[in-house]
Each structure stands twice: as structure tokens, then as C-alpha cells.
Amino acid sequence: MNVEELNVPMDVESVDVFASIEDYFCVQAFLSNISQPTMFLLDPQEFLDSFFTEPADLRLTMCAVSAALQTPRLPRTVCDNYYKRAMTAFSRSLDNPTLKTLQALMLMNTYVTMNGQPHLARNNFFTAVTFVEKLSLDVDPDDLELRTGVPIPPKEKYERRYWYHVMKYYLKIIKAVHSRNVLLDFRKGGPFVEFISHSVKLPVHPDSGVINDIYYAANIQELVSKAAALHKSMPMSIVDIIDSQPAALLRANLTALQLETPRGLIIHTPADLYVATTTYTPCNLVASLLASLHFHTVPCLLHRAKLYLTAFLPIDSAHLQRTGARETTLRALCDSVQSARMIAALNSWMALSAPPGLRKVFWRNHIFPCFCLFEAAVVLWFVTCKTREEWLAAAGDVGGLEWRREVRSGVMDVGRTLEELEGLLAGGPGGSENMMSPLVQCVLGMVAEMEKVEEAVSKGEGIPPVAVAGVGACSWEAGVNFVALGMKVMSIVEDDRVKPFVSDPWTFLGLMGVPVGGNLVWKAYYEDEWSFFWELVVNGRM
């Protein structure tokens, strides 16, 4: 959504030039419960101290965020009023942006996303990305000093480097989840904007000398984006899946990234989780959870197509007779399960054992790791419901009834978390559909299918043969045999002119042509291609 789409005057009302005491109390009620700086370098106490001198766009956006996220949430009319006033204030600030303008835009995107409608934020996000060049954030401050001859204080240097990596992080997320039919710069009909800089230094805090964790999060997210992109089009053959050179390169990059990342930031084992939860500060623990969820998502995405082969090909298939083919596929199965179970374990800890305040801070500041949870659920659903039993036997200590129950328990926790987030984004139970709704419906279907397979295995009936959706099943007009899961896009203010429509759901990767429970399919442009590919495999034509 942009300013032109709102039924509001283009001039900032005089009442918004100066802050009111009511606005201050609204923000104070929210920020008084936050002890650490937020994702966008907004220090709670510093912001409250300077509240009455902050720019109108940042101040009013923070009012909207505070009204929506404080407990209890303020009435929708109050949130809508702040939102409209903030969007009007942007009409004056976007032509001459500053770092505070960028901060305000990213907070506004948070507000729209936390209302469950990230699709409406894409235009504002595009504007924010263009600020990287307008503000010369892709030029290191040291170089900028030499160019301009104007000294830059150490704190501002840190902020500029920080913002470069923040924008890199979010751009990689948007590129990973976007639909081919919904371009970021939809006003011009052009492709995604991109920015690359090899000169911007690490965001090292001038006082502590510590590298801000956003640097590592951005690098991990870049690998997530690339891994998801591997499967957004149909391969030409089974060999292309097994011997994928791009996948091998990404695997090497992930190993190199792990070596670069500070020890303890990424949680790999239950022992690591125990150390993190008993010794880390809340701020460091949130950063560790964020990095860990995205890190373990990379192998899940990277090996998804190989994992699917364990359902469509017997372990002695002629396609796997080449040297190393069977071992490569089996290793992909094991790595996928290990990573997915680690993601599920981190979510279960947050859901069942983490201090309520920490969990609330995590999901308030970082909503997009929900896609990591969904990716883990897909992997665990597939390996328990679709993977052939001979593959599970070859993988070792997996496939037994107790193991299946443990895995399903983790997926159930994922479903509960997504349901809670769905309620949070809708403003409470019974609210509007939002970006979480298709994820919730899909995971609930996975759990139901996992229960049915468990029952069949307990009776000695074995795993039912895998089915594919069929070409055309994944379109929104799928018909009575299939339910295509899409994201309903609607206005976040009652008198806005945005008409509801159904978009491809936001997530890193859908179901790749395999339905859940026999009838739930994912609405995404690549789903039909994968369904067609698996049909060729099943019919021996690949």
C-alpha cells in the first residue's frame, strides 16, 4: 500500500506537526515493557526521551505499532487513525529521506505485516530499498568521508553499516518468498531491485567492538534465498536433482558460513540449546534463535527435491545405480530430517519452556522465521508419510512407531505456534484471515495425515503409495477434488480501497506438487511443473 491509495489528504495535518501527550502515553505503554533495542536500532528509552522532537513519520508510525502490539491491543479505530496519519506524513518525507525516514518505513512495514498483510507492504519496501542508493548506504562511511570531505561520527558510521545489512537481510527474505506474478516494483512492472556492495564493512559497535548479529543473519538469509530458488522451476531430469552443481556449491557455502559464524550463535544440538538458554542474555538468545532457525532451513530447502526422490524411487532404482547416487540421496534424507527436527526442537522449546517475555519479543521483532517452521513441517510430514520404508531402514534409527510419534509431536507444536501467530496478526481469535492462515491449514492437514499413517504402520499395513496433485490442481480454480491454499489479501483499514483477492501464500517453498492428505495443494506458480515432473517419474518417462 502507498500513500496514493489512501483516502486521506496529502498535506500533513497541523495537529501532527507536534506530538501530543496522548501519543506519548500510547508509545510509553508499549516501550516501557521493552528493555532491549528493537530490530531497527530503536532504543526504547532514547526514543521516549526524544519523542516530542522526532519526525512526524517516525513518531506516528511508532504510535501505530505501539497501539497494535501493546497488551491489550488498542481499538482498531485508534490503530487505523495512527496508520493513516503516518502514511500522510510520509508524503512530505520521502522526497528527502534520512536514516530516520528509512527507520520509519521499515517500522511501517512491520506494522502492515503484523496485521497479516505483507503483500500490501511491498511498495513501501521497494521505496525503502531505493534509499540504500539515495543515502549511499552501499558505500562504506570511511570511503564516503574521503569522497565528500565531511567527517562522519563513529556512531553514525555504525548505523549506516547496520542499515545496509538490515536491508540486505529483508531483501533476501522478500526475494525468497515472492511470487513470480507479484513483482516488487509493480508500479513500473520491473524486476526486483538489487544492491551489491563489496566495500561496506562489518557493523562493529563503536563502544563494545562487537559485530552486530544482523551481519550473520543477512548472510544466512542469502543462502536461504538461493536454496529456495533452486526449486522454483522443474528440473530436466532426475540426474539434475542428484548431481546438482548449484546445490553442491550452496552446501559448500553453508559450511564456510558456519566456520565464519561466532561459536555459539548457531544452535546445533540439545546441548547447545541448554548452554544458550542458561548462559545467554535475552538479547543474545533471540539473535541465536533467529540465526539457528534460518541456518537449519538451508539444508531442508537444499535437499527437498532429493528428499522427494525417496518417495518416488525405490532404493534399488536404476536411476540410482551410478556411483554415489544412492549415497547422495540417503545423505540428503538424513541431513533434511536432522535439520528439520532441530528447527522443531527450537520451536518446541520456545513454545513450552522459554520465558513468555522472550518468546513474545522474538515473534514481535521477527515474524518471518514462521517460514522456517513451515519448511521443517513439510520435511517431517513428507519423511513420515511419503518416504518409502526401505529408505527409512537405510537411514538408521528412524521410521519406528515411537519415532513417528515424537516427530508428529514436534509438528503439532509448529501448528500451535502458527495458530497463535495467526491470532496475533488478526488482532485476536476470530479475526480476519492473514498470511498465517494457509500455513496453519496446511500443517493441520499434515498432522492429520501423519496420524493416519501411524495407525497404518501400527497395524502392519505400511506406508500408502505417494500421489501427485496432477497438472492444474494447484491453480486457485482447482475444483472439488483439491483445495488450493492461497493467501487472502485485504485492507488493514476499514475505509481503504483495496479489494480483497487471493495471492500465492508467502513461504520459502510450497509442497512441490505433492498434496497433503490427498486434497490440500499449494497455490504457487511452480507447483504444477513439479506435479508434472513427478507424474513423469511415476510413469517411468523420466
Side-chain angles (χ1 to χ4, degrees), residues 270-476:
D272 292 342
L273 179 59
Y274 174 78
V275 171
T277 56
T278 54
T279 63
Y280 290 7
T281 66
C283 187
N284 289 339
L285 182 54
V286 167
S288 182
L289 290 168
L290 179 68
S292 300
L293 288 171
H294 284 96
F295 181 90
H296 292 296
T297 298
V298 178
C300 294
L301 292 168
L302 200 59
H303 300 312
R304 181 86 86 81
K306 292 186 184 73
L307 173 66
Y308 275 35
L309 289 178
T310 65
F312 290 101
L313 296 180
I315 199 167
D316 58 354
S317 168
H319 291 288
L320 302 173
Q321 297 305 312
R322 293 177 301 103
T323 303
R326 184 183 296 109
E327 290 75 14
T328 297
T329 307
L330 183 60
R331 186 165 56 250
L333 166 64
C334 295
D335 288 351
S336 298
V337 172
Q338 181 180 10
S339 294
R341 293 206 69 183
M342 192 68 244
I343 294 172
L346 292 173
N347 171 71
S348 295
W349 178 82
M350 281 198 287
L352 304 175
S353 303
L358 182 139
R359 183 164 174 261
K360 185 177 180 180
V361 167
F362 180 85
W363 289 114
R364 183 188 63 224
N365 287 346
H366 310 286
I367 195 67
F368 292 126
C370 67
F371 304 139
C372 303
L373 303 189
F374 183 76
E375 179 61 27
V378 173
V379 168
L380 296 176
W381 155 75
F382 193 91
V383 78
T384 55
C385 296
K386 309 299 180 184
T387 294
R388 293 170 180 256
E389 291 181 282
E390 66 262 28
W391 282 104
L392 295 178
D397 189 23
V398 298
L401 197 58
E402 187 60 33
W403 177 84
R404 290 176 178 278
R405 287 170 178 159
E406 290 178 4
V407 170
R408 178 167 59 85
S409 176
V411 177
M412 288 174 65
D413 287 343
V414 167
R416 293 188 189 100
T417 296
L418 295 177
E419 281 187 300
E420 290 179 14
L421 292 175
E422 182 185 34
L424 173 67
L425 300 192
S432 302
E433 291 184 42
N434 54 63
M435 62 182 286
M436 294 294 167
S437 301
L439 278 66
V440 169
Q441 189 175 354
C442 192
V443 172
L444 292 180
M446 291 174 184
V447 171
E449 185 174 358
M450 293 168 79
E451 286 182 308
K452 290 181 180 179
V453 172
E454 275 180 36
E455 184 178 356
V457 170
S458 67
K459 295 178 180 178
E461 297 174 0
I463 301 173
V466 66
V468 294
V471 177
C474 303
S475 65
W476 186 243

